[in-house]
Amino acid sequence: MISIAVLGYGTVGSGVVEVIEKNKEVIDKRAGKKIRVKYILDLRDFPGDPYADRVVHDINVILQDPEVTIICETMGGNEPAFTYSMQALKAGKSVCTSNKELVANHGAELIRTAKENYCNYLFEASVGGGIPIIRPLNAALTAERIELISGILNGTTNYILTRMDQEGCDFETSLKEAQEKGYAERNPEADVEGYDACRKIAILASLMTGKTVRYEEIYTEGITKITREDFLYAHKMNLFIKLLASVREADGGYYAMVAPFLIGENSPLHSVNDVFNAIFIRGNTLGDSMYYGRGAGKLPTASAVVSDVIDCAKHGRTHIVCLWDEEKLPLCSIDGAYRRFFVRAQKGCEAKARELFGEIELVDAGLENEFGFVTAALTEKEFAEKSGQLSGFISRIRVEEA
Ligand code: NDP
Ligand code: HSE
């Protein structure tokens, strides 16, 4: 029998316990041993909960128990999650986590520590919730030189954008619903400002390159400036607004960014709605592939954590190779990235828009005092310079090229 401990009995942690109970027959069979939850660490007690007797408040109870060989870290945040994870790994206990903030910050160091101590640090749930994406990158796609990863990596924002687009709901109401469904981060600013998607693409970029891509270096914009008017224009153009996170190899370097984009029906991501996420990967010999599923939520995320527990159980004290070095990979500036932009501007500055941007496609969404237009392709730097000279400029959204 393998005894495990769950750190943090919130949305994901309670899901881990539930998945292990619900699917115990298949889990035990696939792990080759019975897997049982011996401890749950949390700040609170849970009177009346069937697992209330396993709740402890001192990490040392878990660290000092030789029976516990696998720990699920589902507390979130950097500390004390980092300290507890390091202590566990140094004691030879494998750690399985959903905590992308910690993985993005210290992934390479935690993996090295696991390797040095003949155990594992696994993080399938840290990107895309229940979607298998870390294991494919570390196993099935290792023959590929990956040229592009582009995805919808945040369930909360995709839920909000879908509700605004399809139901005309407002931003605040949609965010509240996402929070009630357990999708959002404790501080939902991380979702709506794009920080969560940024950490996730940093993790994927690190696995793609084998080096550490620091999330602080990734240009990031969230969805807080997207309005109902933007959707009126998008409908008029038959386009969809999605928060995309991407990393691309080009010109001998890597470009990464997180921002809302207008995408067309020819994009495989256009129909990814609600809490669903999808990750599009282009390999040099494989070509295009895509991974789709629920990007957040209790049971889908817990399922991914438990799949890591099973992997740890199967491997015992054998380290599963994960190539992610602590050496930092500098990213290229996005200034030179080349694309079209959709712009909203006040009526009366059409001539100036043409003078600055040359040929433009006008879009009339029936709004009284403004109009929209799409530019020809130009660099981010040129766009910033030109739009700064357009006095009636209201806002812009990037247009994804298929
Ligand atoms: P919750 O806030 O629901 O759960 C976290 C739990 O950990 C809470 O019960 C909290 O207690 C407890 N906790 C916090 N600090 C400590 C501590 N120092 N010692 C013991 N217990 C502690 O968060 P989620 O379950 O939603 O998320 C957990 C992690 O998983 C996060 O990193 C999140 O980003 C990630 N994640 C979440 C997904 C989701 O859909 N929710 C999907 C994928 C990843 P208390 O409430 O008393 O503070
Ligand atoms: N808050 C995150 C999301 C949880 O909405 O995608 C899953 O990582």
Side-chain angles (χ1 to χ4, degrees):
M1 185 167 87
I2 291 196
S3 296
I4 73 162
V6 176
L7 315 186
Y9 199 42
T11 304
V12 181
S14 62
V16 166
V17 174
E18 192 176 327
V19 169
I20 289 173
E21 176 58 34
K22 190 180 169 90
N23 288 351
K24 61 179 172 238
E25 276 172 33
V26 284
I27 289 170
D28 293 352
K29 196 168 168 194
R30 287 172 187 158
K33 291 175 191 117
K34 276 190 190 320
I35 293 189
R36 293 294 173 263
V37 177
K38 184 164 184 185
Y39 301 110
I40 293 166
L41 180 88
D42 204 281
L43 301 169
R44 289 171 288 149
D45 285 309
F46 296 86
D49 186 281
Y51 288 79
D53 59 337
R54 324 232 179 139
V55 174
V56 295
H57 304 296
D58 180 359
I59 186 70
N60 291 309
V61 173
I62 295 166
L63 294 174
Q64 286 163 14
D65 186 336
E67 277 183 17
V68 175
T69 53
I70 301 171
I71 288 177
C72 301
E73 187 274 291
T74 51
M75 294 188 303
N78 279 306
E79 282 295 353
F82 176 65
T83 302
Y84 291 177
S85 300
M86 281 301 246
Q87 286 174 327
L89 295 171
K90 285 180 180 169
K93 299 178 195 294
S94 289
V95 177
C96 308
T97 190
S98 58
N99 184 344
K100 54 267 164 144
E101 187 177 352
L102 185 59
V103 177
N105 263 313
H106 295 288
E109 186 184 355
L110 287 155
I111 291 164
R112 175 175 53 76
T113 306
K115 185 176 177 195
E116 287 166 0
N117 291 280
Y118 307 100
C119 56
N120 286 292
Y121 184 72
L122 302 185
F123 45 95
E124 183 59 69
S126 67
V127 181
I131 305 174
I133 186 60
I134 304 297
R135 214 169 272 113
L137 277 170
N138 279 338
L141 296 170
T142 45
E144 283 304 296
R145 186 183 179 103
I146 293 172
E147 297 167 345
L148 168 69
I149 301 180
S150 178
I152 294 171
L153 297 184
N154 183 272
T156 301
T157 47
N158 206 41
Y159 181 86
I160 295 171
L161 291 175
T162 305
R163 298 280 290 148
M164 288 174 79
D165 186 9
Q166 297 181 355
E167 319 280 338
C169 295
D170 65 59
F171 183 94
E172 291 303 331
T173 311
S174 311
L175 171 58
K176 200 159 165 282
E177 283 173 14
Q179 287 176 300
E180 283 162 7
K181 288 171 185 283
Y183 303 156
E185 296 302 302
R186 187 160 279 231
N187 177 359
E189 196 187 354
D191 297 295
V192 298
E193 294 295 356
Y195 310 145
D196 178 72
C198 172
R199 290 175 191 131
K200 289 167 175 166
I201 197 67
I203 294 169
L204 297 183
S206 299
L207 295 175
M208 168 182 174
T209 61
K211 294 186 179 162
T212 293
V213 173
R214 292 298 315 175
Y215 65 85
E216 300 90 333
E217 286 192 10
I218 299 176
Y219 176 88
T220 299
E221 255 179 53
I223 62 161
T224 47
K225 294 193 184 115
I226 300 293
T227 63
R228 282 188 200 187
E229 288 75 17
D230 292 322
F231 285 102
L232 294 179
Y233 285 105
H235 292 168
K236 202 81 194 168
M237 295 184 281
N238 204 20
L239 296 175
F240 303 83
I241 302 173
K242 296 288 177 192
L243 182 70
L244 297 187
S246 61
V247 54
R248 178 189 300 271
E249 186 184 6
D251 318 320
Y254 291 89
Y255 293 83
M257 115 182 277
V258 176
F261 274 80
L262 280 158
I263 66 176
E265 276 176 349
N266 52 357
S267 165
L269 298 170
H270 86 273
S271 57
V272 177
N273 288 321
D274 295 307
V275 73
F276 284 86
N277 284 189
I279 302 125
F280 174 89
I281 296 186
R282 180 170 294 153
N284 67 332
T285 62
L286 169 74
D288 297 348
S289 60
M290 197 157 97
Y291 309 81
Y292 171 82
R294 288 183 184 273
K298 176 174 167 161
L299 294 180
T301 309
S303 171
V305 176
V306 177
S307 77
D308 282 345
V309 170
I310 296 171
D311 236 3
C312 288
K314 286 198 306 202
H315 285 85
R317 297 302 296 267
T318 304
H319 179 72
I320 305 164
V321 174
C322 172
L323 296 177
W324 178 352
D325 199 86
E326 280 154 279
E327 185 191 340
K328 198 177 126 188
L329 180 85
L331 293 172
C332 303
S333 156
I334 64 156
D335 280 357
Y338 198 68
R339 56 173 59 92
R340 293 183 302 145
F341 293 81
F342 164 71
V343 179
R344 279 170 59 200
Q346 282 160 7
K347 274 200 174 136
C349 64
E350 290 87 339
K352 185 69 182 172
R354 282 206 177 85
E355 183 193 317
L356 287 164
F357 292 99
E359 196 150 314
I360 54 173
E361 272 171 56
L362 292 180
V363 190
D364 181 0
L367 294 165
E368 206 178 326
N369 298 317
E370 61 172 83
F371 71 105
F373 66 92
V374 180
T375 69
L378 72 170
T379 65
E380 287 271 349
K381 190 162 183 241
E382 284 165 342
F383 178 81
E385 283 164 7
K386 289 175 194 281
S387 59
Q389 295 172 50
L390 187 65
S391 57
F393 176 86
I394 298 173
S395 64
R396 58 100 179 87
I397 305 178
R398 295 170 175 86
V399 180
E400 192 206 35
E401 304 306 331

